[in-house]
Amino acid sequence: MDSFGNTIKTARETKGLLLRQVAAALDIDQAIISKFERSERRPSKEQVEKFADFYELDRTALITAWLSDKIASVLHYEDNIEEILKVAEEKTRYLKNKGR
């Protein structure tokens, strides 16, 4: 269960790329990418998709890692996490069906 940051850092290191090379290719500041890799800052969905394309990673898996990081950062102090997630899932299904 890797975080978004660990996933992109591992991909960069596997390809033998420096942060500055990735920054130039994606037109994202090197310091910001470093913060993404350390999970100190959250990218936009558009940026997540750029990383997926650049590193040739599965988009769905990378978006899942990114979203789960976001959700975990909001919920980790709560006592009733399971109930919150259950209700959120129900609301999400309702909104998805409503939009059809």
Side-chain angles (χ1 to χ4, degrees):
M1 172 173 52
D2 268 344
S3 68
F4 171 81
N6 286 340
T7 302
I8 63 168
K9 182 176 183 177
T10 299
R12 178 178 61 78
E13 291 173 343
T14 299
K15 292 187 180 280
L17 298 171
L18 301 172
L19 277 172
R20 64 178 152 80
Q21 293 172 304
V22 177
L26 298 180
D27 194 30
I28 301 172
D29 187 80
Q30 178 178 332
I32 292 174
I33 294 173
S34 178
K35 288 181 180 184
F36 291 162
E37 288 186 355
R38 294 189 316 267
S39 299
E40 294 175 0
R41 183 171 172 162
R42 305 249 182 264
S44 67
K45 185 175 183 184
E46 178 182 294
Q47 290 169 323
V48 172
E49 291 170 342
K50 280 184 176 184
F51 281 105
D53 293 343
F54 181 73
Y55 290 128
E56 298 176 331
L57 299 171
D58 180 87
R59 262 187 189 214
T60 302
L62 196 59
I63 290 170
T64 299
W66 167 68
L67 283 173
S68 64
D69 287 350
K70 286 175 66 167
I71 293 166
S73 73
V74 171
L75 296 181
H76 76 279
Y77 290 116
E78 299 300 325
D79 293 328
N80 57 339
I81 295 170
E82 292 81 12
E83 182 64 21
I84 294 167
L85 290 172
K86 180 181 169 192
V87 172
E89 182 179 17
E90 291 170 6
K91 287 180 181 179
T92 303
R93 288 175 197 250
Y94 170 78
L95 291 172
K96 193 168 193 158
N97 288 330
K98 183 179 172 184
R100 288 184 184 190

